[in-house]
């Protein structure tokens, strides 16, 4: 069986690899038929494509949440994607994700918690004040982007269900609907897409539940209507189009770990000192800087978020716990 990898530059045979404005103001603006643009996006000239509703937000005050790196263009960020549910080519999500229906949409939060809940998307949009955060995104393939996300800390949702002492991990499940997602008809992964975090990782302020980007609602190809953004981990950890969040006692088996355990471990923290079995992770190619003489950037430990998240892994062997 031949499977084309999206996480290398050439197809490889017989290999599998992965991918001041608060909500009350937002509601008032919506009622008036108005929308405020992202303040950070406007300041940096990185507003969205103008085809999706605005999602007003205030710049985040979470430590490390706003990088000074130049943001990737909206066009690049929405046309060069890994979202296998719509195909394995980078252009497939933008070509085929229009079939995804994001309303109505519900997300169940269950498992080892005192108050399991089922949220509809409109409730989640109002659950906490929207923040804009500009995160670096590092793909395990060796390329990177800088994206202005809109959302809030994942911890806001987890706290609502009151985790019990047995909640050691959090498992995330994405939608897998063959009628809407042509890639799900393939056998490239064992669907649905599943990812996981330790509970302390999930509760870290930088772990983000995302509803928008570039001051607008998420485009379908980027994981609408909600996804994760985990800036210190490789991109495939940030599951898209979430339908279930489950608090569990045992470590979840992530989809790419299940597909190729020797290549994709549970943690998948960005680490320039731990190469992928088939390529180095020491440098990266920043999308939008693809000129003939463009130099690759050195990859930063934890993607540059070590000051914020390094303590989560104190004493761990990061080569063993890759």
């Amino acid at each position: 069986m031949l499977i084309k990898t999206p996480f290398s530059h050439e197809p490889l045979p017989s290999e599998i690899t992965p991918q001041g404005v608060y909500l009350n103001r937002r509601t008032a603006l919506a009622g008036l038929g108005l929308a405020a643009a992202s303040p950070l996006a406007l300041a940096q000239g990185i507003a969205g494509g103008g085809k999706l509703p605005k999602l007003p937000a205030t710049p985040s005050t979470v430590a490390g949440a706003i990088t000074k790196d130049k943001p990737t263009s909206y066009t690049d960020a929405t046309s060069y994607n890994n979202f296998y549910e719509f195909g394995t080519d980078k252009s497939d999500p933008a070509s085929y994700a229009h079939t995804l229906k994001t309303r109505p949409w519900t997300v169940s939060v269950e498992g080892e918690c005192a108050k399991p809940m089922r949220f509809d998307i409109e409730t989640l949009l109002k659950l906490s004040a929207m923040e804009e955060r500009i995160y670096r995104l590092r793909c395990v393939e060796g390329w990177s982007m800088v994206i202005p996300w809109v959302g809030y800390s994942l911890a806001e949702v987890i706290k609502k269900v009151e985790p019990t002492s047995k909640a050691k991990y959090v498992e995330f499940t994405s939608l897998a609907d063959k009628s809407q997602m042509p890639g799900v008809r393939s056998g490239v992964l064992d669907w649905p897409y599943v990812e996981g975090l330790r509970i302390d990782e999930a509760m870290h302020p930088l772990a983000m539940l995302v509803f928008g980007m570039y001051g607008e609602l998420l485009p379908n190809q980027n994981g609408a209507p909600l996804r994760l953004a985990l800036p210190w981990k490789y991109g495939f950890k940030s599951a898209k189009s979430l339908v279930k969040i489950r608090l569990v006692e045992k470590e979840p088996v992530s989809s790419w770990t299940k597909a190729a355990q020797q290549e994709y471990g549970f943690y998948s923290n960005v680490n320039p000192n731990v190469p992928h079995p088939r390529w180095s992770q020491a440098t990266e190619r920043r999308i939008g800087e693809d000129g003939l003489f463009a130099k690759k950037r050195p990859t930063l430990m934890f993607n540059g978020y070590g000051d914020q998240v390094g303590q989560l892994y104190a004493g761990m062997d990061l080569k063993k716990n890759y």
Side-chain angles (χ1 to χ4, degrees):
M1 174 176 166
L2 294 179
I3 295 181
K4 185 168 68 172
T5 170
F7 290 156
S8 58
H9 298 298
E10 300 293 337
L12 297 175
S14 303
E15 293 180 327
I16 302 177
T17 60
Q19 146 202 65
V21 182
Y22 293 94
L23 276 175
N24 58 344
R25 184 179 172 192
R26 181 182 70 83
T27 303
L29 288 168
L32 293 171
L34 304 173
S38 153
L40 287 177
L42 284 175
Q44 301 190 42
I46 51 170
K51 296 181 179 180
L52 294 170
K54 301 292 185 184
L55 187 56
T58 55
S60 180
T61 59
V62 171
I66 301 178
T67 180
K68 294 181 180 179
D69 291 15
K70 179 183 176 181
T72 301
S73 74
Y74 181 85
T75 298
D76 283 339
T78 57
S79 63
Y80 191 88
N81 309 104
N82 287 320
F83 197 172
Y84 275 25
E85 287 85 341
F86 296 101
T88 58
D89 287 338
K90 293 292 188 292
S91 61
D92 284 346
S95 297
Y96 303 119
H98 64 276
T99 57
L100 179 64
K101 298 178 176 64
T102 61
R103 299 294 190 278
W105 192 280
T106 59
V107 181
S108 63
V109 186
E110 57 190 56
E112 300 293 348
C113 56
K115 296 181 178 180
M117 298 182 183
R118 190 174 189 87
F119 298 93
D120 62 62
I121 188 63
E122 302 305 330
T123 299
L124 287 172
L125 283 165
K126 299 173 185 177
L127 189 143
S128 186
M130 287 288 163
E131 300 180 4
E132 184 167 53
R133 305 180 181 186
I134 303 180
Y135 282 174
R136 288 182 291 271
L137 183 153
R138 173 61 155 81
C139 182
V140 72
E141 296 173 341
W143 55 265
S144 63
M145 294 186 181
V146 178
I147 299 181
W149 301 114
V150 180
Y152 49 76
S153 294
L154 172 63
E156 297 299 323
V157 171
I158 295 177
K159 287 186 293 187
K160 289 288 184 183
V161 300
E162 298 181 9
T164 70
S165 59
K166 291 184 177 181
K168 307 298 184 184
Y169 297 89
V170 186
E171 180 185 81
F172 306 90
T173 303
S174 297
L175 180 70
D177 185 344
K178 293 180 181 179
S179 68
Q180 300 184 62
M181 299 169 146
V184 177
R185 301 167 199 159
S186 76
V188 68
L189 284 173
D190 185 6
W191 308 105
Y193 194 88
V194 173
E195 259 305 336
L197 298 169
R198 274 189 343 216
I199 186 71
D200 58 342
E201 294 178 308
M203 296 297 288
H204 192 280
L206 285 178
M208 188 179 186
L209 199 57
V210 173
F211 302 87
M213 56 191 288
Y214 297 83
E216 299 177 355
L217 289 177
L218 277 174
N220 286 5
Q221 63 265 34
N222 291 89
L226 77 164
R227 58 168 290 165
L228 298 177
L230 307 166
W232 70 97
K233 294 180 177 287
Y234 291 118
F236 66 88
K237 292 293 290 185
S238 295
K240 303 177 177 78
S241 299
L242 295 172
V243 293
K244 185 186 294 186
I245 300 172
R246 186 171 178 81
L247 307 177
V248 295
E249 188 171 8
K250 296 182 179 180
E251 182 178 292
V253 179
S254 300
S255 287
W256 282 110
T257 302
K258 186 175 183 179
Q261 184 176 4
Q262 73 282 7
E263 298 188 6
Y264 306 104
F266 175 77
Y267 286 96
S268 295
N269 291 319
V270 176
N271 190 339
N273 304 312
V274 177
H276 185 279
R278 288 180 280 114
W279 58 82
S280 171
Q281 296 288 16
T283 61
E284 63 196 60
R285 176 175 58 94
R286 178 66 54 83
I287 300 302
E289 298 177 350
D290 297 332
L292 182 61
F293 301 105
K295 294 182 179 180
K296 288 189 174 182
R297 294 168 174 260
T299 293
L300 303 175
M301 185 67 195
F302 296 118
N303 204 23
Y305 296 92
D307 288 347
Q308 289 77 39
V309 303
Q311 73 278 4
L312 295 175
Y313 312 102
M316 291 179 60
D317 183 338
L318 298 180
K319 290 186 177 181
K320 180 179 179 181
N321 297 286
Y322 60 95

